């Protein structure tokens, strides 16, 4: 499953949903560049622990027992008959089971389902009716009691039941859509991961309890019916001439969370991969054209994975389908992958470049799961990270194969790697591997640690092993455990055998303890040799780690020099607290860089002399883009932790004034957004806007408003980013041009290109009035494409006037916004301004019951909380947030609440520590920066 996490700004960040213009949260230049002296020092740090001695701690885990093993399923014969008018469904289950120990009861998972009858038919014996159904609602279980002992052997368990097609976007639920004529209709769709198959049928809803499935759906005859496998029979339903009975082929052995069925109205486009797999992309009616891009990606992707894993795709077909109401980004159901519309549909004329990239990544992610997750499945949710971290890494490998012009691995560092570092530096982070018990705990680990840190450590592991041995180990793992379940250790064993390296020992230090190291680096010249001294300690967002016991990691460290900045000249495994390395034949005028490619999952703190030697490489671009990005991001993180001055980072940022790379600018923009948000709590917010305008103006002038011949994907992304940044910061010429183009767009005289819409919409709203907002609302209502609706929804919060902010918040809960997108609208308000942040938080509190009821138990509630409160920067607000959630429980978001409170206190400490210095620096700047 791929979450809409976004970049914190993550999923959380700026939504990792397609934004044509990344409205990134922050991060952060160089006048008199050669004169700059970077002083690496320890500021007086206001400890988060000192600020809040009563910080929330995780509550005791709820008691939980996995299902008994005395009865297990072999095959589910499942027939479902949904009612798309009354929003109910009838079900019949005939499960072939094995009894391994005599028992007089069967315990299964069951939630929001009423069992009508149940019986047990032993092989060769007489049917025995159940005498009682004992529902344990809190544990989502039911116990079927029988009057006599069920003996060991094979049998059939029969259950008739009824349930509700709910509106919670989980289990078997209803999804609202409009027909081409505008009539409101409903589809019946599924979302079972992590623990919601039990809302569609009684089952053994644990990933290790695999079985085959024979699924039959009784549906209106004019509707499309889909499931994991291909249709083998479709015939009239004898009891109702308006219905048909659709029977699907038997699935391979699989986990319940991967089962899926969809009943609705859809068009499709189809093709065949080079290895003979039928691929279809299902779209809303009349929009088949919008499925072609995803179809092309899927047709390229399946053979890529087949070759990479050296294991064929095991099903005869794969369907990709766009669902109107869908909480996640997408879900990898085996053979029937479900997506948000914005994660699958591309309009050749009206979709922006970042949407294409987003669709390519999501398709790559979900199709990777067809092997890694579906063919071989984690044994329990503790190993969820293995599914999601791996897919979040290999989606980039796949997109790099399909679209090398995207420079996607550099984007990985900004989108995933740095996001994971930010979250994992918190005291309230968690290890990659988390012991999960009760179902209510599962949703909490669908976060940037499982996805982005998981992907980052696998990227580091791949680099440490080498591609050839990595693929060899992956193939051995998939062949050994196909159609079975595996744990993290099983993968380490296979990779260790393939590479001959101590994989389990190295990787356990990264997956079983939270956090990561900061590596302190110094150097000494001895004749023709350079002596490099490395030491590691835990990096903490609150400042230097001071606890007596300091964890350590086994860190693969690579080193390069200015002779060949793109390739490591030396590699070492740092398996202790420090190490000394001799680099032969390195002249005094050469610089040395640790972690080329920004692959190792750690922060770096260079000595002053080493840092100064690297800085010219930023200015003259001799440092590769990913290393320019990594250097800046490390320093920004050190400044937030109080380990260097924020002013030093601002000076560094000025060195990027001639930067050509989109992803480097994206990360700079993100960090500057964080700083701008922080300084909105001061009376000199305008000065940081002037700084942003000065920094981004040269690249904005260079790019201009219109694409030039020969430009590609990355130029389009950069133009949208820069114009949006300038417009939001109040750059006069950008604002005037945006208003002019917006007027022409609204009047139909000159339609804005898709790549310019987000920055233009953002700019005119940020500096607009009620008429601007009304016009934008009309555009939203008229939009036929969900991408355009989402594009507008995410920037509405930029409006400044308090009464208009309130209007946007009310709009967020209206029927005009799909349930999953309400979070983006509220989050946009919170990120838009200081006033918006206060208004959004009040709105969440005032409407908590409705919002929690809508998203309870899902990751969207965590995302809502994070977007609403993460930008605050005073201790009083941390206490208020903590207090509110103590009296308004949100079990699936407990850790998120603690992380938010910690971030608020970190912001408060940062503001208190550096405000005066930042203000003085901004006042001293005169004119545009020079290098």
């Amino acid at each position: 499953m791929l979450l809409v996490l976004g970049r914190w700004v993550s999923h959380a960040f700026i939504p990792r949903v397609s934004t044509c213009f990344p409205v990134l949260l922050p991060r952060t230049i160089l006048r008199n560049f050669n004169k700059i002296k970077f002083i690496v020092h320890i500021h007086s740090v206001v400890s988060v622990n000192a600020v809040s001695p009563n910080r929330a701690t995780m509550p005791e885990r709820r008691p939980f027992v996995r299902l008994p093993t005395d009865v297990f399923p072999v095959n589910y014969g499942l027939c479902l008959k949904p009612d798309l008018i009354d929003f109910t469904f009838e079900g019949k289950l005939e499960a072939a089971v094995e009894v391994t120990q005599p028992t007089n009861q069967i315990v299964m998972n069951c939630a929001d389902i009423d069992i009508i009858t149940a019986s047990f038919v032993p092989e060769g014996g007489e049917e025995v009716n159940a005498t009682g159904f004992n529902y344990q609602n809190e544990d989502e279980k039911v116990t079927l009691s029988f009057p006599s002992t069920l003996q060991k052997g094979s049998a059939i368990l029969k259950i008739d039941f009824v349930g509700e097609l709910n509106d919670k976007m989980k289990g078997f639920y209803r999804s609202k859509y409009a027909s081409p004529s505008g009539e409101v209709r409903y589809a019946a769709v599924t979302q079972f991961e992590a623990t919601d198959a039990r809302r569609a049928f009684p089952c053994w809803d644990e990933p290790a309890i695999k079985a085959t499935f024979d699924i039959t759906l009784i549906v209106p005859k004019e509707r499309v019916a889909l499931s994991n496998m291909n249709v083998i029979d479709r015939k009239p339903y004898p009891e109702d001439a308006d219905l048909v009975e659709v029977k699907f082929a038997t699935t391979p052995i699989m986990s319940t969370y991967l089962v899926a069925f969809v009943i609705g109205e859809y068009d499709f486009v189809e093709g065949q991969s080079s290895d003979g797999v039928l691929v279809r992309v299902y779209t809303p009616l009349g929009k088949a054209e919008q499925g072609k891009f995803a179809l092309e990606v899927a047709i390229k992707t399946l053979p890529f994975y087949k070759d990479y894993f050296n294991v064929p795709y095991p099903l005869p077909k794969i369907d990709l389908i766009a669902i109107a109401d869908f909480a996640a980004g997408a879900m990898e159901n085996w053979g029937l992958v479900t997506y948000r519309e914005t994660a699958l549909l591309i309009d050749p004329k009206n979709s922006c470049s970042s949407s294409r990239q987003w669709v390519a990544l999501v398709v790559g992610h979900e199709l990777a799961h067809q092997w890694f997750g579906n063919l071989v499945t984690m044994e329990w949710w503790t190993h969820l990270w293995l599914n999601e971290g791996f897919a979040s890494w290999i989606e980039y490998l796949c997109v790099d194969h399909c679209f090398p012009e995207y420079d996607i691995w550099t984007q990985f560092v900004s989108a995933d790697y740095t996001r994971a570092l930010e979250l994992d530096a918190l005291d309230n982070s968690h290890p990659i591997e988390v012991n999960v018990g009760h179902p209510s705990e599962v949703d909490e680990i669908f976060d940037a640690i499982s996805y982005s840190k998981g992907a980052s450590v696998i990227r580091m592991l791949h680099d440490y092993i080498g591609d050839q041995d990595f693929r060899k180990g992956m193939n051995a793992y998939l062949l050994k455990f196909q159609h079975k379940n595996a744990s993290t250790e099983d993968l380490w064993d296979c990779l260790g055998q393939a590479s001959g390296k101590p994989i389990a020992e190295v990787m356990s230090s990264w997956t079983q303890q939270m956090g990561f190291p900061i590596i302190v680096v110094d150097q000494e010249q001895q004749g023709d040799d350079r002596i490099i001294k490395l030491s590691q300690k835990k990096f903490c967002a609150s400042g230097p780690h001071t606890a007596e016991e300091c964890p350590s990691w086994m860190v693969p460290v690579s080193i390069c020099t200015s002779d060949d900045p793109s390739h490591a000249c030396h590699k070492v495994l740092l398996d202790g607290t420090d190490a000394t390395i001799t680099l032969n034949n390195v002249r005094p005028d050469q610089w040395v860089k640790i972690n080329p490619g920004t692959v190792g999952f750690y922060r770096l703190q260079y000595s002053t002399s080493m840092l100064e030697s690297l800085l010219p490489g930023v200015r003259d671009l001799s440092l590769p883009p990913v290393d320019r990005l990594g250097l800046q991001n490390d320093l920004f993180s050190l400044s937030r932790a109080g380990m260097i001055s924020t002013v030093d980072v601002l000076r560094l940022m000025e060195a990027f004034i001639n930067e050509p790379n989109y992803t480097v600018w994206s990360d700079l923009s993100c960090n500057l957004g964080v700083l701008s948000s922080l300084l909105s709590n001061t009376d000199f917010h305008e000065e940081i806007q002037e700084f942003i305008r000065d920094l981004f103006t040269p690249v904005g002038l260079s790019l201009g408003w219109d694409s030039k011949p020969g430009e590609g994907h990355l130029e389009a992304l950069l133009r949208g980013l820069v114009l949006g940044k300038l417009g939001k910061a109040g750059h006069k010429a950008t604002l005037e041009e945006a208003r002019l183009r917006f007027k022409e767009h609204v009047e139909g005289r000159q339609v804005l290109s898709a790549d310019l819409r987000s920055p233009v919409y953002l700019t005119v709203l940020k500096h607009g009035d009620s008429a601007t907002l009304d016009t934008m609302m009309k555009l939203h209502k008229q939009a036929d494409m969900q991408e355009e609706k989402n594009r507008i929804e995410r920037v509405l919060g930029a409006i400044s006037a308090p009464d208009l902010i309130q209007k946007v918040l009310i709009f967020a809960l209206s029927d005009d916004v799909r349930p999953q997108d309400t979070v983006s609208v509220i989050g946009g308000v919170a990120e838009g301004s200081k006033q918006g942040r206060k208004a959004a938080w009040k709105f969440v509190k005032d409407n908590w019951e409705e919002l929690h009821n809508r998203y309870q138990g899902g990751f969207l509630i965590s995302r809502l909380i994070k977007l609403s409160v993460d930008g605050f920067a005073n201790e009083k607000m941390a206490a208020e947030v903590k207090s509110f959630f103590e009296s308004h429980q949100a079990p699936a978001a407990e850790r998120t609440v603690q992380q938010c409170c910690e971030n608020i206190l970190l912001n408060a400490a940062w503001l208190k520590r550096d405000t005066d210095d930042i203000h003085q620096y901004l006042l001293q700047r005169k004119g545009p920066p020079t290098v």
Side-chain angles (χ1 to χ4, degrees), residues 16 392 396 411-420 451-452 456:
R16 270 184 79 182
S392 297
Y396 284 86
Q411 294 194 58
F412 173 90
V413 173
S414 182
D416 282 272
Y417 172 96
T418 59
R419 179 176 66 188
Y451 283 75
S452 297
S456 297

Side-chain angles (χ1 to χ4, degrees), residues 543-591:
H545 183 78
T546 55
E548 287 185 19
E549 289 188 19
C550 187
S552 64
W553 289 260
M554 296 187 72
V555 191
V557 176
S558 299
I559 305 173
C560 72
T561 70
S562 48
D563 264 6
D564 190 356
S566 298
H567 295 94
C569 66
H570 192 89
K571 292 189 175 185
V572 63
L573 184 65
L574 179 60
D575 56 1
T577 55
D578 49 54
T580 300
I581 298 156
T582 300
L583 302 179
N584 297 318
N585 302 314
V586 178
R587 300 183 309 276
D589 63 330
Q590 289 179 267
W591 51 252

Side-chain angles (χ1 to χ4, degrees), residues 110-332:
C110 181
D112 303 331
I113 282 175
D114 289 323
I115 295 175
I116 309 301
T117 62
S119 62
F120 181 87
V121 187
E123 191 173 50
E126 293 188 6
E127 186 167 356
V128 181
N129 290 317
T131 52
F133 318 130
N134 179 21
Y135 297 92
Q136 296 106 57
N137 291 334
E138 194 165 297
D139 289 333
E140 298 180 343
K141 293 176 182 175
V142 64
T143 300
L144 310 179
S145 300
F146 293 90
S148 55
T149 300
L150 312 179
Q151 299 299 326
K152 288 173 65 173
S154 303
I156 301 294
L157 176 65
K158 297 181 180 181
I159 303 177
D160 289 358
F161 57 94
V162 294
E164 177 194 12
L165 289 174
N166 70 69
D167 60 355
K168 310 294 185 202
M169 295 185 288
K170 63 182 182 179
F172 196 14
Y173 71 94
R174 62 186 187 265
S175 172
K176 185 168 73 171
Y177 65 97
S179 70
S181 65
E183 180 188 349
V184 172
R185 293 180 185 167
Y186 290 87
V189 303
T190 56
Q191 171 57 43
F192 290 163
E193 191 179 21
T195 56
D196 291 314
R198 62 194 65 176
R199 297 177 199 282
F201 56 100
C203 56
W204 289 261
D205 199 13
E206 296 181 359
I209 307 180
K210 290 189 169 187
T212 58
F213 291 80
D214 286 287
I215 293 171
T216 300
L217 300 174
I218 298 168
V219 302
K221 62 184 180 183
E222 73 281 2
R223 296 292 195 266
V224 172
L226 302 171
S227 188
N228 304 83
M229 297 297 289
N230 49 298
V231 175
I232 56 173
D233 190 26
R234 183 183 176 101
K235 62 187 180 185
Y237 183 57
E239 296 176 27
D240 189 332
D242 292 328
L243 302 178
V244 290
E245 189 175 320
V246 184
K247 184 173 175 56
F248 299 89
T250 305
T251 71
I253 186 170
M254 61 190 284
S255 303
T256 49
Y257 80 89
L258 295 168
V259 174
F261 18 91
V262 175
I263 301 99
E265 296 177 285
Y266 300 94
D267 284 338
F268 68 85
V269 288
E270 69 177 4
Q272 197 170 60
S273 69
S274 59
D275 41 355
V277 179
L278 176 65
V279 183
R280 283 183 175 177
V281 176
Y282 284 84
T283 74
L285 291 176
K287 297 185 178 181
E289 181 84 6
Q290 295 179 21
K292 287 186 175 179
F293 178 75
L295 179 67
E296 291 169 11
V297 175
I299 284 173
K300 289 180 184 177
T301 297
L302 286 170
F304 171 76
Y305 286 144
K306 177 194 171 186
D307 292 344
Y308 194 84
F309 297 131
N310 199 21
V311 175
Y313 175 72
L315 305 187
K317 64 92 176 177
I318 189 162
D319 298 326
L320 294 72
I321 186 166
I323 305 296
D325 294 329
F326 197 76
M331 175 62 208
E332 68 266 20

Side-chain angles (χ1 to χ4, degrees), residues 702-919:
S702 172
L703 286 165
W705 279 82
D706 300 305
S707 60
K708 304 175 182 69
E711 281 188 350
H713 177 77
L714 293 169
E715 288 81 8
L717 293 180
L718 180 57
R719 179 175 290 106
L721 172 75
V722 171
L723 292 176
K725 200 73 177 176
L726 284 169
K728 188 176 182 183
H731 184 257
K732 189 176 177 183
T734 302
L735 175 56
E736 289 172 355
E737 184 68 17
R739 283 173 169 161
L740 176 65
R741 291 185 180 233
F742 182 67
K743 187 171 184 290
E744 291 179 339
H745 176 71
V746 171
E747 292 171 353
R749 290 188 286 128
Q750 182 67 51
V751 175
L752 281 166
S753 71
D755 285 312
L756 288 180
R757 288 183 199 172
S758 276
V760 167
Y761 293 170
L762 176 76
T763 300
V764 298
L765 274 166
K766 180 68 178 175
H767 308 281
D769 54 18
S770 60
T772 315
L773 183 60
D774 288 345
T775 302
M776 201 66 77
M777 293 288 199
K778 285 178 188 171
L779 287 179
H780 182 276
K781 201 164 192 67
Q782 293 165 2
D784 179 51
M785 192 179 179
Q786 194 59 31
E787 178 187 325
E788 177 73 355
K789 285 185 182 292
N790 285 174
R791 187 163 26 231
I792 294 168
E793 288 162 359
R794 287 195 301 271
V795 298
L796 288 175
I799 202 80
S800 298
D803 59 324
L804 301 181
I805 288 173
Q806 206 56 40
K807 187 175 180 180
V808 172
L809 289 168
I810 292 167
F811 170 75
L813 276 178
S814 72
D815 289 341
D816 291 323
V817 178
R818 287 185 176 168
Q820 69 268 24
D821 297 322
T822 295
V823 175
S824 297
V825 181
I826 297 172
V829 172
E831 292 171 3
S833 63
K834 180 181 178 181
Q835 295 78 9
R837 192 154 52 242
K838 290 178 179 177
W841 171 232
K842 184 177 186 303
F843 185 79
V844 168
K845 289 188 295 180
D846 291 347
N847 295 275
W848 177 251
E849 188 173 346
E850 180 177 352
L851 289 164
H852 186 249
N853 184 52
R854 180 184 288 195
Y855 304 125
Q856 60 183 320
F859 68 89
L860 281 174
I861 199 71
S862 293
R863 178 163 160 71
L864 173 68
I865 293 167
K866 190 164 183 63
L867 285 171
S868 302
V869 307
D870 225 27
F872 286 116
N874 65 71
E875 297 166 28
K876 182 181 173 185
M877 281 308 308
E880 182 180 315
V881 171
K882 178 176 179 286
S883 174
F884 180 81
F885 288 108
E886 283 175 347
S887 57
H888 299 78
Q889 294 294 308
E894 286 168 356
R895 184 181 276 114
T896 297
V897 170
Q898 293 173 17
Q899 290 167 350
C900 288
C901 290
E902 183 177 352
N903 267 322
I904 294 169
L905 293 171
L906 287 167
N907 289 340
W910 189 12
L911 197 62
K912 185 176 181 180
R913 184 178 60 241
D914 276 8
T915 297
D916 290 344
D917 288 347
I918 294 170
H919 192 196

